[in-house]
Amino acid sequence: MYNNIKEEAYEANMNLTKLGLVKFTFGNVSVFDQQKGVFAIKPSGVPYELLKADDIVIVDLDAQVVEGTLRPSSDTKTHAVLYKEWPELGAL
């Protein structure tokens, strides 16, 4: 159901590593689907070299997991607040 934004979030997160913008498991990108009111975010503590698109977690704007079995990033609440305040954002 959320494969598109999961794949977009996965690709964006992998680009962080290619650009040297992250270290270990720190840092992430999320992708927001305004129509569905959810966003895709990297799971907490998963090394980038092991990350798969299926690992990406879907959460709502209250930072509650909608889909996924892993714990979302520790930055999830911050991303949720930013998407609530500026719904025109598509990714962080």
Side-chain angles (χ1 to χ4, degrees), residues 17-84:
T17 63
K18 291 176 190 170
L19 296 169
L21 298 174
V22 294
K23 192 166 186 101
F24 306 116
T25 62
F26 305 117
N28 63 70
V29 173
S30 64
V31 176
F32 182 45
D33 183 326
Q34 185 179 17
Q35 290 181 331
K36 294 179 182 171
V38 298
F39 60 98
I41 195 162
K42 180 184 174 290
S44 181
V46 175
Y48 284 91
E49 62 270 13
L50 299 178
L51 185 65
K52 301 181 298 284
D54 286 341
D55 296 330
I56 300 295
V57 183
I58 303 297
V59 296
D60 63 20
L61 293 177
D62 292 320
Q64 299 299 307
V65 174
V66 172
E67 181 178 291
T69 58
L70 299 173
R71 189 180 67 199
S73 166
S74 59
D75 296 324
T76 298
K77 288 182 181 180
T78 301
H79 287 232
V81 168
L82 293 172
Y83 288 131
K84 280 183 187 178

